[in-house]
Amino acid sequence: MKHSSIPSWIFAVLFSALLVCASFSSVHALERVRWKVQIGFAGAEEPVKRLIEQVKNISEGKIRLRFYKVNTLVPGMELHSAVGGGQVDAGFTNVGYFANKIPAVIFFGGVPFGPRLVEHNAWMQHGGGQRLKDRIYGEQGLVSLQCGLVPPESGGWFNKRHERVEELNGARMRIWGFGGKVLKKFGVAPTELGAMDIVPEQEKGVIDAAEFSTPHWDYFIGLHKVFKYNYYPGWIQPIVIPELIVNKRQWDDLSDTTRLIFRTSCDSLLLWMMVMIDSQQPQAMRQLKQEGVEFLTWRDSELKKLRKTWYEVAEEESDKDPLFAEVYSSYKSFREQYAIWGDRAYLK
């Protein structure tokens, strides 16, 4: 006697139904989360509201994050300390702000002559970078998720043509972080200013040059109104990776599913920001050109000087800061090994 067999497509349908049921059950098993989330800098409003909406939708309303503008709960520059101390649940901010306290973390957010996103993430996920980051942030009561990406900032705004980087000697420039330390070696006097203070301070004669962000944002704050020459490429920060920081005790109390919702939502936001912001730049550059801005490119010989000086700055920082030395050693070693592929595989 022959037994009739069940068609294989029925098994496929049943399996798919089980997966849907499992996903439905998982969502309904989620814990209720109500967190306050403050941004650390102006301009992050749209991405963070997008993140909040996505997290709410995926969790079917179980996870709700309340948005706070910069400086509303705590000063933006103090957001890492506030989240780590439990004063604020979470924040969307810039790694560079944390680097004012712990310089080593700058490698997790973007450094002069740094790698493209693919190479950066290869180091983070497969070269030890993430382990270092988790340890450093964990000691401060924090968990950090990569949660966005900003493409290259320009190489500076000036009112004089510069053929050689040495010609910057004596310039008072709005620039912060390690890009400023590099240019200081060439006689530049770096100063830190908020975005909306750059134009007024130039008009008052306080600064002679500046760097801020991408052409879209540079146009928005009006740098073209007080500077004529915009230099490229963006060696100061080839990429900037914003982060979602969460109080570690609260993060550890979350279920695996809830943590996965946050991680995948941040991954999604990173891709969205990368594509969206990149797409804005051509039109911004056309507008800048129409209003009289001239785009200039640093010659290879000058970029070589700047790169060499960045290495010197990194070594000097390593000599005085063991933690910086540890992270830099991991970062540098991975890049040297990656170069056998990276230097050959991609068009320059």
Side-chain angles (χ1 to χ4, degrees), residues 35-60:
W35 283 354
K36 296 177 181 178
V37 179
Q38 181 187 305
I39 60 174
F41 54 92
E45 293 84 357
E46 183 182 2
V48 174
K49 289 179 180 178
R50 183 182 181 89
L51 176 71
I52 289 172
E53 188 65 19
Q54 180 166 335
V55 167
K56 185 183 78 171
N57 289 339
I58 294 174
S59 68
E60 295 188 350

mmCIF file with all atom_site columns, all heavy atoms in Angstrom, residues 35-60:
data_model
loop_
_atom_site.group_PDB
_atom_site.id
_atom_site.type_symbol
_atom_site.label_atom_id
_atom_site.label_alt_id
_atom_site.label_comp_id
_atom_site.label_asym_id
_atom_site.label_entity_id
_atom_site.label_seq_id
_atom_site.pdbx_PDB_ins_code
_atom_site.Cartn_x
_atom_site.Cartn_y
_atom_site.Cartn_z
_atom_site.occupancy
_atom_site.B_iso_or_equiv
_atom_site.pdbx_formal_charge
_atom_site.auth_seq_id
_atom_site.auth_comp_id
_atom_site.auth_asym_id
_atom_site.auth_atom_id
_atom_site.pdbx_PDB_model_num
ATOM 1   N N   . TRP A 1 35 ? 11.984 55.906 27.325 1.00 0.00 ? 35 TRP A N   1
ATOM 2   C CA  . TRP A 1 35 ? 13.254 56.587 27.574 1.00 0.00 ? 35 TRP A CA  1
ATOM 3   C C   . TRP A 1 35 ? 13.218 58.023 27.072 1.00 0.00 ? 35 TRP A C   1
ATOM 4   O O   . TRP A 1 35 ? 12.540 58.342 26.085 1.00 0.00 ? 35 TRP A O   1
ATOM 5   C CB  . TRP A 1 35 ? 14.398 55.877 26.850 1.00 0.00 ? 35 TRP A CB  1
ATOM 6   C CG  . TRP A 1 35 ? 14.865 54.616 27.511 1.00 0.00 ? 35 TRP A CG  1
ATOM 7   C CD1 . TRP A 1 35 ? 14.477 54.110 28.707 1.00 0.00 ? 35 TRP A CD1 1
ATOM 8   C CD2 . TRP A 1 35 ? 15.827 53.697 26.968 1.00 0.00 ? 35 TRP A CD2 1
ATOM 9   N NE1 . TRP A 1 35 ? 15.138 52.939 28.960 1.00 0.00 ? 35 TRP A NE1 1
ATOM 10  C CE2 . TRP A 1 35 ? 15.975 52.662 27.912 1.00 0.00 ? 35 TRP A CE2 1
ATOM 11  C CE3 . TRP A 1 35 ? 16.572 53.658 25.798 1.00 0.00 ? 35 TRP A CE3 1
ATOM 12  C CZ2 . TRP A 1 35 ? 16.846 51.593 27.712 1.00 0.00 ? 35 TRP A CZ2 1
ATOM 13  C CZ3 . TRP A 1 35 ? 17.433 52.594 25.587 1.00 0.00 ? 35 TRP A CZ3 1
ATOM 14  C CH2 . TRP A 1 35 ? 17.576 51.575 26.542 1.00 0.00 ? 35 TRP A CH2 1
ATOM 15  N N   . LYS A 1 36 ? 13.991 58.862 27.735 1.00 0.00 ? 36 LYS A N   1
ATOM 16  C CA  . LYS A 1 36 ? 14.258 60.210 27.252 1.00 0.00 ? 36 LYS A CA  1
ATOM 17  C C   . LYS A 1 36 ? 15.539 60.166 26.423 1.00 0.00 ? 36 LYS A C   1
ATOM 18  O O   . LYS A 1 36 ? 16.548 59.624 26.857 1.00 0.00 ? 36 LYS A O   1
ATOM 19  C CB  . LYS A 1 36 ? 14.432 61.175 28.420 1.00 0.00 ? 36 LYS A CB  1
ATOM 20  C CG  . LYS A 1 36 ? 13.194 61.354 29.288 1.00 0.00 ? 36 LYS A CG  1
ATOM 21  C CD  . LYS A 1 36 ? 13.497 62.266 30.470 1.00 0.00 ? 36 LYS A CD  1
ATOM 22  C CE  . LYS A 1 36 ? 12.271 62.429 31.363 1.00 0.00 ? 36 LYS A CE  1
ATOM 23  N NZ  . LYS A 1 36 ? 12.580 63.294 32.548 1.00 0.00 ? 36 LYS A NZ  1
ATOM 24  N N   . VAL A 1 37 ? 15.480 60.753 25.219 1.00 0.00 ? 37 VAL A N   1
ATOM 25  C CA  . VAL A 1 37 ? 16.646 60.779 24.325 1.00 0.00 ? 37 VAL A CA  1
ATOM 26  C C   . VAL A 1 37 ? 16.928 62.222 23.932 1.00 0.00 ? 37 VAL A C   1
ATOM 27  O O   . VAL A 1 37 ? 16.094 62.875 23.295 1.00 0.00 ? 37 VAL A O   1
ATOM 28  C CB  . VAL A 1 37 ? 16.415 59.930 23.060 1.00 0.00 ? 37 VAL A CB  1
ATOM 29  C CG1 . VAL A 1 37 ? 17.632 59.996 22.151 1.00 0.00 ? 37 VAL A CG1 1
ATOM 30  C CG2 . VAL A 1 37 ? 16.102 58.491 23.432 1.00 0.00 ? 37 VAL A CG2 1
ATOM 31  N N   . GLN A 1 38 ? 18.097 62.713 24.294 1.00 0.00 ? 38 GLN A N   1
ATOM 32  C CA  . GLN A 1 38 ? 18.486 64.079 23.915 1.00 0.00 ? 38 GLN A CA  1
ATOM 33  C C   . GLN A 1 38 ? 19.551 64.028 22.827 1.00 0.00 ? 38 GLN A C   1
ATOM 34  O O   . GLN A 1 38 ? 20.420 63.158 22.834 1.00 0.00 ? 38 GLN A O   1
ATOM 35  C CB  . GLN A 1 38 ? 19.042 64.850 25.117 1.00 0.00 ? 38 GLN A CB  1
ATOM 36  C CG  . GLN A 1 38 ? 19.432 66.281 24.747 1.00 0.00 ? 38 GLN A CG  1
ATOM 37  C CD  . GLN A 1 38 ? 20.142 67.022 25.866 1.00 0.00 ? 38 GLN A CD  1
ATOM 38  O OE1 . GLN A 1 38 ? 19.624 67.119 26.976 1.00 0.00 ? 38 GLN A OE1 1
ATOM 39  N NE2 . GLN A 1 38 ? 21.337 67.538 25.579 1.00 0.00 ? 38 GLN A NE2 1
ATOM 40  N N   . ILE A 1 39 ? 19.479 64.949 21.887 1.00 0.00 ? 39 ILE A N   1
ATOM 41  C CA  . ILE A 1 39 ? 20.533 65.065 20.880 1.00 0.00 ? 39 ILE A CA  1
ATOM 42  C C   . ILE A 1 39 ? 21.651 65.950 21.421 1.00 0.00 ? 39 ILE A C   1
ATOM 43  O O   . ILE A 1 39 ? 21.424 66.825 22.254 1.00 0.00 ? 39 ILE A O   1
ATOM 44  C CB  . ILE A 1 39 ? 19.996 65.610 19.540 1.00 0.00 ? 39 ILE A CB  1
ATOM 45  C CG1 . ILE A 1 39 ? 19.374 66.998 19.710 1.00 0.00 ? 39 ILE A CG1 1
ATOM 46  C CG2 . ILE A 1 39 ? 18.999 64.639 18.937 1.00 0.00 ? 39 ILE A CG2 1
ATOM 47  C CD1 . ILE A 1 39 ? 18.962 67.645 18.399 1.00 0.00 ? 39 ILE A CD1 1
ATOM 48  N N   . GLY A 1 40 ? 22.863 65.694 20.928 1.00 0.00 ? 40 GLY A N   1
ATOM 49  C CA  . GLY A 1 40 ? 24.016 66.428 21.416 1.00 0.00 ? 40 GLY A CA  1
ATOM 50  C C   . GLY A 1 40 ? 24.413 67.606 20.551 1.00 0.00 ? 40 GLY A C   1
ATOM 51  O O   . GLY A 1 40 ? 25.259 68.411 20.937 1.00 0.00 ? 40 GLY A O   1
ATOM 52  N N   . PHE A 1 41 ? 23.812 67.727 19.349 1.00 0.00 ? 41 PHE A N   1
ATOM 53  C CA  . PHE A 1 41 ? 24.188 68.819 18.460 1.00 0.00 ? 41 PHE A CA  1
ATOM 54  C C   . PHE A 1 41 ? 23.016 69.152 17.545 1.00 0.00 ? 41 PHE A C   1
ATOM 55  O O   . PHE A 1 41 ? 22.210 68.280 17.200 1.00 0.00 ? 41 PHE A O   1
ATOM 56  C CB  . PHE A 1 41 ? 25.420 68.460 17.623 1.00 0.00 ? 41 PHE A CB  1
ATOM 57  C CG  . PHE A 1 41 ? 25.293 67.173 16.853 1.00 0.00 ? 41 PHE A CG  1
ATOM 58  C CD1 . PHE A 1 41 ? 24.814 67.161 15.555 1.00 0.00 ? 41 PHE A CD1 1
ATOM 59  C CD2 . PHE A 1 41 ? 25.647 65.973 17.443 1.00 0.00 ? 41 PHE A CD2 1
ATOM 60  C CE1 . PHE A 1 41 ? 24.692 65.978 14.850 1.00 0.00 ? 41 PHE A CE1 1
ATOM 61  C CE2 . PHE A 1 41 ? 25.531 64.767 16.742 1.00 0.00 ? 41 PHE A CE2 1
ATOM 62  C CZ  . PHE A 1 41 ? 25.052 64.778 15.443 1.00 0.00 ? 41 PHE A CZ  1
ATOM 63  N N   . ALA A 1 42 ? 22.919 70.418 17.172 1.00 0.00 ? 42 ALA A N   1
ATOM 64  C CA  . ALA A 1 42 ? 21.871 70.858 16.253 1.00 0.00 ? 42 ALA A CA  1
ATOM 65  C C   . ALA A 1 42 ? 22.086 70.210 14.885 1.00 0.00 ? 42 ALA A C   1
ATOM 66  O O   . ALA A 1 42 ? 23.220 70.019 14.443 1.00 0.00 ? 42 ALA A O   1
ATOM 67  C CB  . ALA A 1 42 ? 21.893 72.371 16.126 1.00 0.00 ? 42 ALA A CB  1
ATOM 68  N N   . GLY A 1 43 ? 20.995 69.881 14.225 1.00 0.00 ? 43 GLY A N   1
ATOM 69  C CA  . GLY A 1 43 ? 21.066 69.231 12.922 1.00 0.00 ? 43 GLY A CA  1
ATOM 70  C C   . GLY A 1 43 ? 20.752 67.753 12.999 1.00 0.00 ? 43 GLY A C   1
ATOM 71  O O   . GLY A 1 43 ? 20.571 67.098 11.961 1.00 0.00 ? 43 GLY A O   1
ATOM 72  N N   . ALA A 1 44 ? 20.689 67.220 14.227 1.00 0.00 ? 44 ALA A N   1
ATOM 73  C CA  . ALA A 1 44 ? 20.398 65.792 14.399 1.00 0.00 ? 44 ALA A CA  1
ATOM 74  C C   . ALA A 1 44 ? 18.911 65.522 14.568 1.00 0.00 ? 44 ALA A C   1
ATOM 75  O O   . ALA A 1 44 ? 18.510 64.373 14.764 1.00 0.00 ? 44 ALA A O   1
ATOM 76  C CB  . ALA A 1 44 ? 21.165 65.246 15.600 1.00 0.00 ? 44 ALA A CB  1
ATOM 77  N N   . GLU A 1 45 ? 18.101 66.562 14.491 1.00 0.00 ? 45 GLU A N   1
ATOM 78  C CA  . GLU A 1 45 ? 16.666 66.405 14.773 1.00 0.00 ? 45 GLU A CA  1
ATOM 79  C C   . GLU A 1 45 ? 15.993 65.398 13.837 1.00 0.00 ? 45 GLU A C   1
ATOM 80  O O   . GLU A 1 45 ? 15.300 64.475 14.286 1.00 0.00 ? 45 GLU A O   1
ATOM 81  C CB  . GLU A 1 45 ? 15.958 67.758 14.670 1.00 0.00 ? 45 GLU A CB  1
ATOM 82  C CG  . GLU A 1 45 ? 16.344 68.762 15.733 1.00 0.00 ? 45 GLU A CG  1
ATOM 83  C CD  . GLU A 1 45 ? 17.611 69.549 15.394 1.00 0.00 ? 45 GLU A CD  1
ATOM 84  O OE1 . GLU A 1 45 ? 18.225 69.263 14.333 1.00 0.00 ? 45 GLU A OE1 1
ATOM 85  O OE2 . GLU A 1 45 ? 17.971 70.448 16.167 1.00 0.00 ? 45 GLU A OE2 1
ATOM 86  N N   . GLU A 1 46 ? 16.169 65.579 12.529 1.00 0.00 ? 46 GLU A N   1
ATOM 87  C CA  . GLU A 1 46 ? 15.473 64.711 11.577 1.00 0.00 ? 46 GLU A CA  1
ATOM 88  C C   . GLU A 1 46 ? 15.901 63.250 11.698 1.00 0.00 ? 46 GLU A C   1
ATOM 89  O O   . GLU A 1 46 ? 15.031 62.351 11.766 1.00 0.00 ? 46 GLU A O   1
ATOM 90  C CB  . GLU A 1 46 ? 15.691 65.206 10.140 1.00 0.00 ? 46 GLU A CB  1
ATOM 91  C CG  . GLU A 1 46 ? 14.936 64.382 9.103  1.00 0.00 ? 46 GLU A CG  1
ATOM 92  C CD  . GLU A 1 46 ? 15.190 64.842 7.679  1.00 0.00 ? 46 GLU A CD  1
ATOM 93  O OE1 . GLU A 1 46 ? 15.981 65.792 7.478  1.00 0.00 ? 46 GLU A OE1 1
ATOM 94  O OE2 . GLU A 1 46 ? 14.609 64.240 6.761  1.00 0.00 ? 46 GLU A OE2 1
ATOM 95  N N   . PRO A 1 47 ? 17.210 62.940 11.729 1.00 0.00 ? 47 PRO A N   1
ATOM 96  C CA  . PRO A 1 47 ? 17.594 61.533 11.866 1.00 0.00 ? 47 PRO A CA  1
ATOM 97  C C   . PRO A 1 47 ? 17.072 60.885 13.146 1.00 0.00 ? 47 PRO A C   1
ATOM 98  O O   . PRO A 1 47 ? 16.628 59.728 13.116 1.00 0.00 ? 47 PRO A O   1
ATOM 99  C CB  . PRO A 1 47 ? 19.130 61.588 11.866 1.00 0.00 ? 47 PRO A CB  1
ATOM 100 C CG  . PRO A 1 47 ? 19.471 62.850 11.179 1.00 0.00 ? 47 PRO A CG  1
ATOM 101 C CD  . PRO A 1 47 ? 18.383 63.812 11.521 1.00 0.00 ? 47 PRO A CD  1
ATOM 102 N N   . VAL A 1 48 ? 17.127 61.609 14.253 1.00 0.00 ? 48 VAL A N   1
ATOM 103 C CA  . VAL A 1 48 ? 16.714 61.003 15.519 1.00 0.00 ? 48 VAL A CA  1
ATOM 104 C C   . VAL A 1 48 ? 15.204 60.790 15.557 1.00 0.00 ? 48 VAL A C   1
ATOM 105 O O   . VAL A 1 48 ? 14.721 59.767 16.061 1.00 0.00 ? 48 VAL A O   1
ATOM 106 C CB  . VAL A 1 48 ? 17.184 61.855 16.713 1.00 0.00 ? 48 VAL A CB  1
ATOM 107 C CG1 . VAL A 1 48 ? 16.638 61.310 18.029 1.00 0.00 ? 48 VAL A CG1 1
ATOM 108 C CG2 . VAL A 1 48 ? 18.710 61.876 16.761 1.00 0.00 ? 48 VAL A CG2 1
ATOM 109 N N   . LYS A 1 49 ? 14.443 61.723 15.025 1.00 0.00 ? 49 LYS A N   1
ATOM 110 C CA  . LYS A 1 49 ? 12.993 61.520 14.960 1.00 0.00 ? 49 LYS A CA  1
ATOM 111 C C   . LYS A 1 49 ? 12.654 60.328 14.062 1.00 0.00 ? 49 LYS A C   1
ATOM 112 O O   . LYS A 1 49 ? 11.701 59.582 14.332 1.00 0.00 ? 49 LYS A O   1
ATOM 113 C CB  . LYS A 1 49 ? 12.309 62.792 14.475 1.00 0.00 ? 49 LYS A CB  1
ATOM 114 C CG  . LYS A 1 49 ? 12.330 63.908 15.518 1.00 0.00 ? 49 LYS A CG  1
ATOM 115 C CD  . LYS A 1 49 ? 11.667 65.182 15.014 1.00 0.00 ? 49 LYS A CD  1
ATOM 116 C CE  . LYS A 1 49 ? 11.707 66.270 16.082 1.00 0.00 ? 49 LYS A CE  1
ATOM 117 N NZ  . LYS A 1 49 ? 11.105 67.540 15.613 1.00 0.00 ? 49 LYS A NZ  1
ATOM 118 N N   . ARG A 1 50 ? 13.434 60.137 13.025 1.00 0.00 ? 50 ARG A N   1
ATOM 119 C CA  . ARG A 1 50 ? 13.244 58.974 12.153 1.00 0.00 ? 50 ARG A CA  1
ATOM 120 C C   . ARG A 1 50 ? 13.546 57.686 12.931 1.00 0.00 ? 50 ARG A C   1
ATOM 121 O O   . ARG A 1 50 ? 12.806 56.696 12.831 1.00 0.00 ? 50 ARG A O   1
ATOM 122 C CB  . ARG A 1 50 ? 14.157 59.090 10.933 1.00 0.00 ? 50 ARG A CB  1
ATOM 123 C CG  . ARG A 1 50 ? 13.992 57.968 9.916  1.00 0.00 ? 50 ARG A CG  1
ATOM 124 C CD  . ARG A 1 50 ? 14.977 58.142 8.766  1.00 0.00 ? 50 ARG A CD  1
ATOM 125 N NE  . ARG A 1 50 ? 14.811 57.103 7.775  1.00 0.00 ? 50 ARG A NE  1
ATOM 126 C CZ  . ARG A 1 50 ? 13.994 57.159 6.731  1.00 0.00 ? 50 ARG A CZ  1
ATOM 127 N NH1 . ARG A 1 50 ? 13.255 58.228 6.542  1.00 0.00 ? 50 ARG A NH1 1
ATOM 128 N NH2 . ARG A 1 50 ? 13.913 56.154 5.882  1.00 0.00 ? 50 ARG A NH2 1
ATOM 129 N N   . LEU A 1 51 ? 14.634 57.701 13.694 1.00 0.00 ? 51 LEU A N   1
ATOM 130 C CA  . LEU A 1 51 ? 14.999 56.546 14.508 1.00 0.00 ? 51 LEU A CA  1
ATOM 131 C C   . LEU A 1 51 ? 13.904 56.220 15.522 1.00 0.00 ? 51 LEU A C   1
ATOM 132 O O   . LEU A 1 51 ? 13.513 55.056 15.690 1.00 0.00 ? 51 LEU A O   1
ATOM 133 C CB  . LEU A 1 51 ? 16.313 56.825 15.235 1.00 0.00 ? 51 LEU A CB  1
ATOM 134 C CG  . LEU A 1 51 ? 16.793 55.750 16.214 1.00 0.00 ? 51 LEU A CG  1
ATOM 135 C CD1 . LEU A 1 51 ? 17.266 54.512 15.459 1.00 0.00 ? 51 LEU A CD1 1
ATOM 136 C CD2 . LEU A 1 51 ? 17.918 56.290 17.107 1.00 0.00 ? 51 LEU A CD2 1
ATOM 137 N N   . ILE A 1 52 ? 13.404 57.239 16.196 1.00 0.00 ? 52 ILE A N   1
ATOM 138 C CA  . ILE A 1 52 ? 12.363 57.055 17.212 1.00 0.00 ? 52 ILE A CA  1
ATOM 139 C C   . ILE A 1 52 ? 11.115 56.428 16.599 1.00 0.00 ? 52 ILE A C   1
ATOM 140 O O   . ILE A 1 52 ? 10.512 55.510 17.167 1.00 0.00 ? 52 ILE A O   1
ATOM 141 C CB  . ILE A 1 52 ? 12.033 58.402 17.880 1.00 0.00 ? 52 ILE A CB  1
ATOM 142 C CG1 . ILE A 1 52 ? 13.199 58.841 18.782 1.00 0.00 ? 52 ILE A CG1 1
ATOM 143 C CG2 . ILE A 1 52 ? 10.734 58.326 18.675 1.00 0.00 ? 52 ILE A CG2 1
ATOM 144 C CD1 . ILE A 1 52 ? 13.065 60.246 19.331 1.00 0.00 ? 52 ILE A CD1 1
ATOM 145 N N   . GLU A 1 53 ? 10.739 56.901 15.419 1.00 0.00 ? 53 GLU A N   1
ATOM 146 C CA  . GLU A 1 53 ? 9.540  56.386 14.760 1.00 0.00 ? 53 GLU A CA  1
ATOM 147 C C   . GLU A 1 53 ? 9.742  54.932 14.336 1.00 0.00 ? 53 GLU A C   1
ATOM 148 O O   . GLU A 1 53 ? 8.813  54.104 14.463 1.00 0.00 ? 53 GLU A O   1
ATOM 149 C CB  . GLU A 1 53 ? 9.202  57.250 13.547 1.00 0.00 ? 53 GLU A CB  1
ATOM 150 C CG  . GLU A 1 53 ? 7.865  56.941 12.891 1.00 0.00 ? 53 GLU A CG  1
ATOM 151 C CD  . GLU A 1 53 ? 6.673  57.238 13.778 1.00 0.00 ? 53 GLU A CD  1
ATOM 152 O OE1 . GLU A 1 53 ? 6.819  58.003 14.762 1.00 0.00 ? 53 GLU A OE1 1
ATOM 153 O OE2 . GLU A 1 53 ? 5.584  56.705 13.490 1.00 0.00 ? 53 GLU A OE2 1
ATOM 154 N N   . GLN A 1 54 ? 10.921 54.610 13.844 1.00 0.00 ? 54 GLN A N   1
ATOM 155 C CA  . GLN A 1 54 ? 11.172 53.242 13.398 1.00 0.00 ? 54 GLN A CA  1
ATOM 156 C C   . GLN A 1 54 ? 11.159 52.277 14.583 1.00 0.00 ? 54 GLN A C   1
ATOM 157 O O   . GLN A 1 54 ? 10.571 51.190 14.494 1.00 0.00 ? 54 GLN A O   1
ATOM 158 C CB  . GLN A 1 54 ? 12.517 53.152 12.671 1.00 0.00 ? 54 GLN A CB  1
ATOM 159 C CG  . GLN A 1 54 ? 12.824 51.747 12.174 1.00 0.00 ? 54 GLN A CG  1
ATOM 160 C CD  . GLN A 1 54 ? 13.956 51.715 11.175 1.00 0.00 ? 54 GLN A CD  1
ATOM 161 O OE1 . GLN A 1 54 ? 14.232 52.693 10.502 1.00 0.00 ? 54 GLN A OE1 1
ATOM 162 N NE2 . GLN A 1 54 ? 14.622 50.577 11.067 1.00 0.00 ? 54 GLN A NE2 1
ATOM 163 N N   . VAL A 1 55 ? 11.787 52.645 15.675 1.00 0.00 ? 55 VAL A N   1
ATOM 164 C CA  . VAL A 1 55 ? 11.808 51.792 16.861 1.00 0.00 ? 55 VAL A CA  1
ATOM 165 C C   . VAL A 1 55 ? 10.389 51.567 17.378 1.00 0.00 ? 55 VAL A C   1
ATOM 166 O O   . VAL A 1 55 ? 10.008 50.449 17.748 1.00 0.00 ? 55 VAL A O   1
ATOM 167 C CB  . VAL A 1 55 ? 12.698 52.415 17.955 1.00 0.00 ? 55 VAL A CB  1
ATOM 168 C CG1 . VAL A 1 55 ? 12.484 51.730 19.295 1.00 0.00 ? 55 VAL A CG1 1
ATOM 169 C CG2 . VAL A 1 55 ? 14.167 52.344 17.556 1.00 0.00 ? 55 VAL A CG2 1
ATOM 170 N N   . LYS A 1 56 ? 9.586  52.625 17.377 1.00 0.00 ? 56 LYS A N   1
ATOM 171 C CA  . LYS A 1 56 ? 8.197  52.501 17.835 1.00 0.00 ? 56 LYS A CA  1
ATOM 172 C C   . LYS A 1 56 ? 7.405  51.560 16.929 1.00 0.00 ? 56 LYS A C   1
ATOM 173 O O   . LYS A 1 56 ? 6.656  50.701 17.408 1.00 0.00 ? 56 LYS A O   1
ATOM 174 C CB  . LYS A 1 56 ? 7.531  53.881 17.866 1.00 0.00 ? 56 LYS A CB  1
ATOM 175 C CG  . LYS A 1 56 ? 6.116  53.848 18.455 1.00 0.00 ? 56 LYS A CG  1
ATOM 176 C CD  . LYS A 1 56 ? 5.450  55.212 18.407 1.00 0.00 ? 56 LYS A CD  1
ATOM 177 C CE  . LYS A 1 56 ? 4.931  55.517 17.012 1.00 0.00 ? 56 LYS A CE  1
ATOM 178 N NZ  . LYS A 1 56 ? 4.096  56.737 16.971 1.00 0.00 ? 56 LYS A NZ  1
ATOM 179 N N   . ASN A 1 57 ? 7.582  51.705 15.618 1.00 0.00 ? 57 ASN A N   1
ATOM 180 C CA  . ASN A 1 57 ? 6.825  50.881 14.677 1.00 0.00 ? 57 ASN A CA  1
ATOM 181 C C   . ASN A 1 57 ? 7.212  49.407 14.754 1.00 0.00 ? 57 ASN A C   1
ATOM 182 O O   . ASN A 1 57 ? 6.348  48.526 14.752 1.00 0.00 ? 57 ASN A O   1
ATOM 183 C CB  . ASN A 1 57 ? 7.006  51.394 13.251 1.00 0.00 ? 57 ASN A CB  1
ATOM 184 C CG  . ASN A 1 57 ? 6.296  52.717 13.012 1.00 0.00 ? 57 ASN A CG  1
ATOM 185 O OD1 . ASN A 1 57 ? 5.376  53.079 13.745 1.00 0.00 ? 57 ASN A OD1 1
ATOM 186 N ND2 . ASN A 1 57 ? 6.722  53.455 12.007 1.00 0.00 ? 57 ASN A ND2 1
ATOM 187 N N   . ILE A 1 58 ? 8.516  49.137 14.796 1.00 0.00 ? 58 ILE A N   1
ATOM 188 C CA  . ILE A 1 58 ? 8.958  47.742 14.851 1.00 0.00 ? 58 ILE A CA  1
ATOM 189 C C   . ILE A 1 58 ? 8.466  47.068 16.128 1.00 0.00 ? 58 ILE A C   1
ATOM 190 O O   . ILE A 1 58 ? 8.081  45.898 16.124 1.00 0.00 ? 58 ILE A O   1
ATOM 191 C CB  . ILE A 1 58 ? 10.496 47.654 14.760 1.00 0.00 ? 58 ILE A CB  1
ATOM 192 C CG1 . ILE A 1 58 ? 10.977 48.125 13.387 1.00 0.00 ? 58 ILE A CG1 1
ATOM 193 C CG2 . ILE A 1 58 ? 10.968 46.230 15.015 1.00 0.00 ? 58 ILE A CG2 1
ATOM 194 C CD1 . ILE A 1 58 ? 12.483 48.196 13.260 1.00 0.00 ? 58 ILE A CD1 1
ATOM 195 N N   . SER A 1 59 ? 8.470  47.810 17.224 1.00 0.00 ? 59 SER A N   1
ATOM 196 C CA  . SER A 1 59 ? 8.054  47.242 18.512 1.00 0.00 ? 59 SER A CA  1
ATOM 197 C C   . SER A 1 59 ? 6.550  47.324 18.741 1.00 0.00 ? 59 SER A C   1
ATOM 198 O O   . SER A 1 59 ? 6.066  46.951 19.810 1.00 0.00 ? 59 SER A O   1
ATOM 199 C CB  . SER A 1 59 ? 8.774  47.970 19.655 1.00 0.00 ? 59 SER A CB  1
ATOM 200 O OG  . SER A 1 59 ? 8.329  49.318 19.768 1.00 0.00 ? 59 SER A OG  1
ATOM 201 N N   . GLU A 1 60 ? 5.826  47.810 17.724 1.00 0.00 ? 60 GLU A N   1
ATOM 202 C CA  . GLU A 1 60 ? 4.377  48.002 17.832 1.00 0.00 ? 60 GLU A CA  1
ATOM 203 C C   . GLU A 1 60 ? 4.007  48.831 19.065 1.00 0.00 ? 60 GLU A C   1
ATOM 204 O O   . GLU A 1 60 ? 3.056  48.533 19.785 1.00 0.00 ? 60 GLU A O   1
ATOM 205 C CB  . GLU A 1 60 ? 3.659  46.645 17.847 1.00 0.00 ? 60 GLU A CB  1
ATOM 206 C CG  . GLU A 1 60 ? 3.816  45.866 16.554 1.00 0.00 ? 60 GLU A CG  1
ATOM 207 C CD  . GLU A 1 60 ? 2.958  44.620 16.482 1.00 0.00 ? 60 GLU A CD  1
ATOM 208 O OE1 . GLU A 1 60 ? 2.372  44.242 17.512 1.00 0.00 ? 60 GLU A OE1 1
ATOM 209 O OE2 . GLU A 1 60 ? 2.872  44.031 15.395 1.00 0.00 ? 60 GLU A OE2 1
#
